[in-house]
Amino acid sequence: MCYNKGRQKPPLTIVEKAACRFFEENSLRFVPCRPQGGCDIAPSHHFWRNLLILIVLFGIYLYWGNRSIETDEATFTSGALPAGFDGCRIVQLSDLHGKYFGKGNERLYSVVKAAHPEYIFVTGDLVDRKTENPTIYAGEVGAALSAIAPTYYVTGNHEWGHGTKVVEEIKRTLRESGVTVLSNEFVPLLRNGDSIVLAGIDDPNGYADQET
């Protein structure tokens, strides 16, 4: 892991701690050289046990990471923002990959509601190639989010794994669900008498990645 100079290191995850301990306890050791020449390198006697534990923990970490909702809160300050947007709260969602968080995605929607957003930005990878019914999923999520706050969407790279035709169906379904789809477009956002411009483009590699 790398950190910027002077930046406080974040706490290690359970998997990272296990990995550090594994490499500390299982440094390679040399056994005596054979008479005919050459030396063997052998792991310590705990090597295979600890390696198995590390693999299991890594598997659990991947499983958890693909099914958990990770949240972070940041404050953006800029003199270029009009005063009318002071205190504006935005929820930015990405990389849902067609996953359900609780029955009917109830956990996801609860987290979004708890943030009290004035706008919701869905910034790509709503679904991926493994999503069985991408259009249905997009419609469900789009309707639920737009019922919470005005919602805006741009594609990521993973949507395009279904092909251009399906991506266009996803966009159409989202629009019908109340979502504003920004496909190389821009719209004004109005608040307290001031306005800013919100622009969105399709993933630059989207069309280029399609099979011909």
Side-chain angles (χ1 to χ4, degrees):
M1 292 176 289
C2 299
Y3 305 94
N4 293 333
K5 185 177 180 181
R7 177 183 174 186
Q8 184 177 4
K9 297 180 180 180
L12 297 177
T13 65
I14 294 176
V15 174
E16 290 169 342
K17 290 179 180 178
C20 291
R21 182 177 178 183
F22 173 80
F23 288 111
E24 288 173 356
E25 294 182 354
N26 297 283
S27 56
L28 297 178
R29 59 183 175 83
F30 286 90
V31 298
C33 295
R34 296 186 298 272
Q36 62 270 32
C39 296
D40 292 327
I41 299 177
S44 64
H45 64 283
H46 293 306
F47 179 85
W48 296 112
R49 182 200 67 186
N50 291 343
L51 178 60
L52 179 60
I53 293 173
L54 184 63
I55 291 173
V56 171
L57 286 174
F58 185 66
I60 294 173
Y61 177 75
L62 289 178
Y63 180 88
W64 172 82
N66 286 331
R67 288 163 176 78
S68 65
I69 302 174
E70 297 184 24
T71 62
D72 192 14
E73 186 168 341
T75 300
F76 176 75
T77 303
S78 173
L81 278 176
F85 282 83
D86 285 349
C88 180
R89 294 184 63 84
I90 297 170
V91 164
Q92 183 255 329
L93 283 172
S94 67
D95 298 284
L96 294 179
H97 290 278
K99 297 292 190 301
Y100 284 92
F101 302 92
K103 184 177 180 181
N105 252 337
E106 58 185 8
R107 285 200 296 122
L108 174 65
Y109 305 141
S110 294
V111 170
V112 174
K113 288 179 182 177
H116 304 292
E118 296 176 52
Y119 301 101
I120 299 172
F121 298 160
V122 182
T123 54
D125 294 351
L126 177 62
V127 298
D128 58 27
R129 185 175 295 184
K130 296 180 181 179
T131 307
E132 293 184 0
N133 299 298
T135 305
I136 294 176
Y137 180 86
E140 293 173 351
V141 173
L145 293 179
S146 59
I148 299 172
T151 302
Y152 300 81
Y153 167 81
V154 292
T155 62
N157 63 309
H158 281 276
E159 285 93 338
W160 298 95
H162 287 281
T164 302
K165 181 179 179 180
V166 174
V167 171
E168 294 305 321
E169 291 176 356
I170 290 172
K171 291 179 181 178
R172 176 181 55 78
T173 301
L174 286 170
R175 291 188 182 101
E176 293 173 352
S177 301
V179 176
T180 299
V181 176
L182 296 176
S183 183
N184 306 317
E185 302 169 85
F186 64 89
V187 294
L189 298 183
L190 306 175
R191 187 175 188 269
N192 297 331
D194 284 325
S195 66
I196 59 175
V197 171
L198 177 67
I201 61 171
D202 284 323
D203 186 272
N205 293 318
Y207 294 97
D209 288 343
Q210 299 310 298
E211 297 179 0
T212 58

